């Protein structure tokens, strides 16, 4: 199981796991729960550049359509095709098989994101 305290978080309810200069990104269980059953995921392609704060994908559920925001600036090195083929992975395993993209980033940029305690404060402790 993923150590949720080792992750960084954004106000857009994304989690980031940094390994070297590669950031793995997904949405939190809180966001997955609020979205409801995810039925469609559109992700950027490998090699695409993304800018922190810009929309880079879409997540559609039975309740609504949400946008995926790039949490950091960098280049996409992987997109999770398994999630595109089976969007329910976002709900069933948001911190594992439901990851969305991997971005090469400046590792120092991750320091500006929220830790688990700050994210829990943002969500009122529900995450």
């Amino acid at each position: 199981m993923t150590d949720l305290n080792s992750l960084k978080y954004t106000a857009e309810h994304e989690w980031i796991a940094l390994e070297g200069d590669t950031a793995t990104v997904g949405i939190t269980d809180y966001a997955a729960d609020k979205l409801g059953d995810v039925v469609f995921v559109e992700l950027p392609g490998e090699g695409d550049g993304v800018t922190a704060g810009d929309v880079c994908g879409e997540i559609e559920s039975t309740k609504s359509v949400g946008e995926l925001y790039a949490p950091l600036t960098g280049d996409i090195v992987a997109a999770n095709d398994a999630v595109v083929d089976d969007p329910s992975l976002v709900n069933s395993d948001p911190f594992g098989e439901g990851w969305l993209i991997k971005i090469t980033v400046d590792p120092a940029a991750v320091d500006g994101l929220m830790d688990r305690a700050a994210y829990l404060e943002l969500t009122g402790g529900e995450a």
Side-chain angles (χ1 to χ4, degrees), residues 31 35 64 106 112-113:
L35 279 170
S64 66
D106 174 358
L113 301 176

Side-chain angles (χ1 to χ4, degrees), residues 15-31:
W15 58 263
I16 295 90
L18 184 66
E19 189 172 322
D21 66 351
T22 302
T24 301
V25 179
I27 65 168
T28 65
D29 53 349
Y30 175 83

Side-chain angles (χ1 to χ4, degrees), residues 15-25 72 75-78 99 101-107 110:
W15 58 263
I16 295 90
L18 184 66
E19 189 172 322
D21 66 351
T22 302
T24 301
V25 179
L72 300 159
D75 294 320
I76 303 294
V77 292
W99 66 273
I101 54 176
K102 294 186 182 210
I103 311 170
T104 55
V105 299
D106 174 358
V110 176

